Amino acid sequence: MGNAAAGDSAAELLLRAAALVPPAHYALAALLLACAFLYRFLELHLIGDLLRGLRGGRVALTFHPASHVYHRVASKCRSLHGRYLATPWLASPHLQTLFLSISGRPPSFTYRRQLYTVRDGGTIALDWLLASDCEEEDVGFCDGVISRDDSTPLVVVIPGLTSDSTAAYVKHLVFSMASKGWNVVVGNHRGLGGISITSDCFYNAGWTEDFREIVNYLHQKYPQAPLFAVGTSIGANILVKYLGEEGEGTPVAGAVSICSPWDLLVTNRFIQRKLVQRCYDKALAIGLKGYAKLHQPVLARLANWEDIRKSRSIREFDRHATCVVAKYETVDTFYRRCSSANYISNVSVPLLCISALDDPLCTREAIPWDECRANKNIVLATAPNGGHLAFFQGLTAGKLWWVGAVSEFLLALHDSPCMHRQKAQEHSLHTSLESSIDKSPYVNFMEDGMVTAVTNDDANNSDSDNPISNEMELRNGMVGVQQDGIATEIQNECDGNRSQENVTPAQGPVGSQEQPKQNIDKIQDAIAPVKISINQLIRSQGRSVWLLTYIAFVTSWPFLGALGFILFRKKFRNSLPAKRL
């Protein structure tokens, strides 16, 4: 028997030993492996929350050190300086995102609908919830409008992709702001909210024209009401892109971006990388095809309907539908041109950006950290958890953390001097020009590497006789100064109480007798900082030249000495010191 056992192979011995283990132990091991796989696959963080004592992760803020938006507004928001703890039974970005899309537990209320027709014939549904709706019915609202002299702050909400005013996260935000005494209006994307497409134009991730018209309409209709904006997901990308396009010319006093994709190309590649992300990709593609199905008669006339119907991803849908209707060359061209990360530097409105680092749709790889840090108007808040537009908190998951943070930020901004004020010169500049092609400034690269904005008048009326100022011209409240080959545009300060109709653009050169002396003093005051900057640039360039000369001498003298010794070694040998040596 011992000899037979000794003759058995190692594999047979291992099988015999495994057979002695009770089946219940194998079942327990399989269950543990499955739990570990699900914990990893669903990106659960419940154990981490328990190890931290259920305190949650700290919210990180990124901002410019000299940002008044942070020091005077964001610093007063307790939510942004605390921690976020997710609902324990939703301690996963996927569970949070799934629960938000299925239920979300939104508050119950009824919108007041107003239909607005844009210039191209499209129809947009504006869904209103007024502060009076949370207290008393039918107060201050008549035939879809509020009082023109009403100074109650107004918030415009832009939903996400294929979402409308009925989405759970939108209703959470709308009800929260209306409960704070503010009026709220949701600008549904065209073709959504139960409204048919009435033109040959569809919305997309970079389509800002609808929001621009809505903002201008609301500002003209209710000029006394401070106007704020909140964008979510794709709506956040549209909002930030719009703010970057408008710059100082927007009537928006402040804005908030929630879970923006930032870089559409990076985000699209991210959702095609892993298995769980590909599931989101297919789910969103199904939603887009459902949106297209609602408007098939119009879309089938503009693009190939069979290709759209067979699309299995967002990229395929954008290739067959978005790029064809919006006339983009390729999908990557569409993503690059419509990414809001390209417009951050020109945002001139106080902007709070909230993102979750575990967002399963909008990856953290696309967050423009440095660009947000360089802009004094932007405060970026990132939480370690939260999912996509979810951020559920509490045992019952009845609240969204980011909704409270938005309320705090907008209330603090409204009570601070940091609210953006629209400059009247921007609109007078655009309306008074005869041709935007002939008169708009273009980019000129100087020989010294400076990038300047010049106009056609600068190129045609140059004069090099004056060493201080080659040319000065007042045009629509703008002063174009070209000095020492560096062209700069300086904008005159105008009285904020003066209306746009009373602004008369001044014409003619500065030296003309018709020009008031007061304008000359303003121009000289405006030129003074330019002179100082140029002098500093010259001094810094001078120091740089001497530093480069010193470095060149120190690094090259051994090579020059060796070369001289080789060339003149015969003369050196015949010299008297060489003979003595």
Side-chain angles (χ1 to χ4, degrees):
M1 188 69 179
N3 295 334
D8 293 339
S9 62
E12 294 177 350
L13 294 176
L14 184 61
L15 291 175
R16 290 180 181 178
L20 298 177
V21 178
H25 292 181
Y26 286 109
L28 180 60
L31 180 61
L32 293 177
L33 290 175
C35 292
F37 173 78
L38 288 176
Y39 191 92
R40 183 72 175 177
F41 181 78
L42 297 177
E43 301 180 38
L44 292 165
H45 48 81
L46 179 60
I47 296 179
D49 293 341
L50 292 175
L51 294 177
R52 285 191 295 266
L54 295 178
R55 294 186 302 163
R58 184 175 297 278
V59 179
L61 298 179
T62 302
F63 55 90
H64 192 281
S67 172
H68 293 295
V69 177
Y70 170 76
H71 294 291
R72 298 184 180 182
V73 181
S75 61
K76 301 179 181 179
C77 302
R78 296 182 58 184
S79 299
L80 300 178
H81 292 81
R83 295 174 177 269
Y84 165 67
L85 175 64
T87 300
W89 50 276
L90 292 175
S92 164
H94 308 294
L95 294 180
Q96 289 212 43
T97 305
L98 182 63
F99 183 75
L100 179 66
S101 61
I102 295 177
S103 173
R105 296 184 178 178
S108 178
F109 58 87
T110 303
Y111 289 105
R112 303 172 185 264
R113 171 151 292 187
Q114 176 187 1
L115 298 182
Y116 177 78
T117 303
V118 295
R119 287 178 295 179
D120 63 2
T123 305
I124 298 176
L126 301 179
D127 290 334
W128 292 81
L129 183 67
L130 306 183
S132 58
D133 293 337
C134 299
E135 303 173 357
E136 188 175 353
E137 291 293 334
D138 299 329
V139 176
F141 195 99
C142 180
D143 297 331
V145 295
I146 57 179
S147 174
R148 180 176 177 83
D149 298 330
D150 192 351
S151 60
T152 304
L154 177 59
V155 182
V156 185
V157 181
I158 314 177
L161 186 68
T162 67
S163 296
D164 55 20
S165 59
T166 60
Y169 63 89
V170 174
K171 300 188 76 172
H172 274 284
L173 174 63
V174 169
F175 187 79
S176 174
M177 296 307 304
S179 300
K180 299 295 190 300
W182 289 29
N183 296 327
V184 190
V185 56
V186 181
N188 295 284
H189 301 292
R190 60 172 67 193
L192 291 173
I195 304 300
S196 301
I197 291 290
T198 56
S199 68
D200 290 345
C201 184
F202 289 74
Y203 88 96
N204 56 61
W207 181 253
T208 58
E209 293 302 321
D210 289 349
F211 180 69
R212 181 176 288 104
E213 284 203 43
I214 292 173
V215 167
N216 293 335
Y217 161 74
L218 294 174
H219 179 62
Q220 295 174 4
K221 196 74 173 178
Y222 317 110
Q224 303 301 324
L227 193 60
F228 300 87
V230 180
T232 56
S233 190
I234 289 297
N237 187 79
I238 295 174
L239 172 61
V240 177
K241 184 174 181 286
Y242 160 80
L243 295 176
E245 291 172 347
E246 292 295 305
E248 293 282 352
T250 176
V252 176
V256 182
S257 164
I258 307 297
C259 296
S260 173
W262 295 112
D263 192 318
L264 299 178
L265 185 59
V266 174
T267 302
N268 181 257
R269 292 176 178 174
F270 170 75
I271 62 176
Q272 295 178 339
R273 186 182 306 168
K274 298 180 181 180
L275 176 60
V276 63
Q277 268 70 39
R278 288 196 292 270
C279 295
Y280 285 106
D281 191 13
K282 292 183 179 181
L284 291 175
I286 294 174
L288 288 172
K289 289 192 293 184
Y291 165 75
K293 182 69 175 178
L294 295 174
H295 314 290
Q296 180 180 352
V298 179
L299 194 56
R301 179 167 46 85
L302 302 175
N304 190 324
W305 176 252
E306 287 300 320
D307 292 338
I308 296 175
R309 187 181 61 84
K310 295 178 182 178
S311 300
R312 297 185 177 181
S313 65
I314 298 178
R315 188 178 185 87
E316 291 183 6
F317 181 88
D318 288 335
R319 179 187 299 113
H320 300 307
T322 306
C323 292
V324 175
V325 176
K327 295 179 173 58
Y328 286 101
E329 295 86 353
T330 64
V331 180
D332 286 355
T333 302
F334 163 61
Y335 290 156
R336 288 191 177 96
R337 291 182 182 178
C338 296
S339 296
S340 59
N342 302 326
Y343 298 84
I344 296 177
S345 60
N346 200 38
V347 173
S348 303
V349 171
L351 174 64
L352 171 65
C353 304
I354 298 178
S355 295
L357 299 182
D358 64 350
D359 194 320
L361 292 174
C362 302
T363 174
R364 59 187 297 177
E365 300 171 5
I367 299 177
W369 307 89
D370 294 339
E371 289 84 346
C372 292
R373 186 182 293 106
N375 192 325
K376 296 181 180 180
N377 299 302
I378 297 179
V379 175
L380 173 63
T382 53
N385 310 119
H388 186 67
L389 298 174
F391 293 88
F392 286 103
Q393 60 180 171
L395 293 177
T396 60
K399 295 182 179 180
L400 306 184
W401 172 85
W402 65 266
V403 171
V406 170
S407 302
E408 279 189 282
F409 179 81
L410 293 182
L411 290 173
L413 178 60
H414 181 254
D415 296 335
S416 73
C418 296
M419 281 200 309
H420 172 71
R421 307 291 181 183
Q422 183 183 16
K423 292 190 176 181
Q425 294 94 333
E426 295 292 335
H427 286 282
S428 62
L429 177 65
H430 290 290
T431 56
S432 61
L433 297 182
E434 298 176 358
S435 172
S436 60
I437 298 178
D438 298 333
K439 299 295 184 179
S440 60
Y442 60 90
V443 176
N444 181 23
F445 289 88
M446 308 298 294
E447 294 180 357
D448 56 358
M450 298 292 292
V451 180
T452 61
V454 299
T455 62
N456 293 341
D457 296 328
D458 296 332
N460 298 329
N461 301 325
S462 60
D463 185 7
S464 58
D465 295 335
N466 191 345
I468 298 177
S469 175
N470 292 342
E471 179 187 3
M472 296 182 185
E473 182 176 3
L474 292 176
R475 182 183 299 275
N476 299 324
M478 300 294 294
V479 183
V481 182
Q482 186 171 349
Q483 177 174 349
D484 298 335
I486 301 178
T488 311
E489 286 193 1
I490 304 172
Q491 184 173 357
N492 285 339
E493 296 181 357
C494 294
D495 188 359
N497 299 325
R498 185 173 54 185
S499 63
Q500 179 179 348
E501 292 79 4
N502 295 332
V503 178
T504 303
Q507 300 287 343
V510 176
S512 176
Q513 295 180 358
E514 298 178 359
Q515 197 64 250
K517 184 177 180 181
Q518 183 179 2
N519 290 341
I520 298 177
D521 296 337
K522 289 183 178 181
I523 295 172
Q524 292 177 352
D525 294 339
I527 296 175
V530 179
K531 291 182 179 179
I532 297 174
S533 301
I534 293 175
N535 293 334
Q536 293 177 353
L537 179 62
I538 293 174
R539 288 196 297 268
S540 62
Q541 288 179 347
R543 289 192 294 267
S544 301
V545 170
W546 284 111
L547 180 60
L548 291 175
T549 304
Y550 171 75
I551 295 174
F553 175 76
V554 172
T555 56
S556 62
W557 73 264
F559 174 74
L560 295 177
L563 182 61
F565 177 77
I566 295 174
L567 295 177
F568 302 102
R569 64 178 181 273
K570 292 183 178 180
K571 294 183 179 181
F572 177 77
R573 291 176 181 175
N574 297 330
S575 62
L576 182 60
K579 291 180 180 180
R580 292 182 178 178
L581 290 174

